[in-house]
Amino acid sequence: MGQASSSVSHDTPISISPDLIDSLANQLADPHTSPERQSALDQSVRDSIQAQLDTLRRSEAEIRLQLAAALEKENLDREKAADGSVNSHLVLGDIDDLRSKIDKYKERKSLSHLPQVKTDAEELTKCFQTNPDTILNCWEQVNKFKTSSKRAQQDYIKSLPS
């Protein structure tokens, strides 16, 4: 299609030196490169790989420094936020919890919600104080205290949800 319309001029003679032809023919006949050439190629490849490796290590070191700086900044921001209002709210909450636990303990210790146990315990204490040498004389108060304590335990167990 295009050959008929295009014309190639063969006016210019091409000349190739016989040394070039011999050199190319020798290279085709012997596909292996010379040891000097091979070692030069190997060294060139090693140098290139080493240069790329050095570049990558420098990049990695820079990125690590940037990450460390960013993490340090983030941690400082968190600490500043935690040192402020959040931390004081937690402490106040803990203090309130402790106060309520102390109040509950004091209430349980006072036995105000168990008047019979409280009176029996007071009577038993008085008996022990008045009879320090003959505490066996307080057997009636001991039995009353044991009975009221047992009743209080049973009432407590009944009050627990099943």
Side-chain angles (χ1 to χ4, degrees):
M1 203 184 233
Q3 288 179 343
S5 63
S6 68
S7 63
V8 177
S9 111
H10 296 285
D11 304 2
T12 311
I14 299 176
S15 64
I16 300 174
S17 73
D19 291 336
L20 180 60
I21 293 174
D22 288 340
S23 172
L24 290 174
N26 286 340
Q27 284 181 357
L28 285 176
D30 186 19
H32 300 291
T33 56
S34 68
E36 296 83 20
R37 172 91 173 124
Q38 186 63 42
S39 84
L41 286 173
D42 289 347
Q43 188 60 41
S44 172
V45 168
R46 278 191 217 107
D47 291 344
S48 174
I49 289 173
Q50 188 62 43
Q52 289 177 354
L53 186 60
D54 291 342
T55 304
L56 287 174
R57 284 186 179 152
R58 280 191 298 273
S59 289
E60 181 183 14
E62 289 175 11
I63 290 171
R64 283 181 188 261
L65 287 174
Q66 290 173 353
L67 281 174
L71 287 173
E72 185 176 349
K73 182 181 181 297
E74 185 177 329
N75 286 338
L76 287 174
D77 291 344
R78 282 185 187 168
E79 286 178 9
K80 286 179 183 176
D83 287 343
S85 62
V86 175
N87 200 7
S88 64
H89 288 296
L90 292 174
V91 171
L92 289 175
D94 290 343
I95 290 172
D96 289 340
D97 288 344
L98 285 173
R99 281 186 182 151
S100 66
K101 288 178 183 179
I102 290 170
D103 291 341
K104 285 180 185 178
Y105 174 75
K106 285 180 180 177
E107 183 181 330
R108 273 188 272 142
K109 189 177 178 185
S110 71
L111 300 175
S112 62
H113 59 290
L114 301 170
Q116 185 61 43
V117 175
K118 185 176 181 178
T119 56
D120 289 343
E122 289 171 353
E123 287 178 18
L124 181 59
T125 304
K126 279 183 193 174
C127 184
F128 283 151
Q129 288 172 347
T130 57
N131 302 310
D133 295 330
T134 56
I135 57 172
L136 293 178
N137 292 342
C138 301
W139 66 271
E140 290 178 13
Q141 288 82 0
V142 169
N143 285 338
K144 282 175 64 176
F145 178 72
K146 284 169 64 175
T147 304
S148 62
S149 295
K150 192 171 196 171
R151 193 173 310 123
Q153 282 180 335
Q154 289 171 350
D155 291 343
Y156 176 73
I157 290 172
K158 287 178 185 176
S159 71
L160 293 175
S162 300

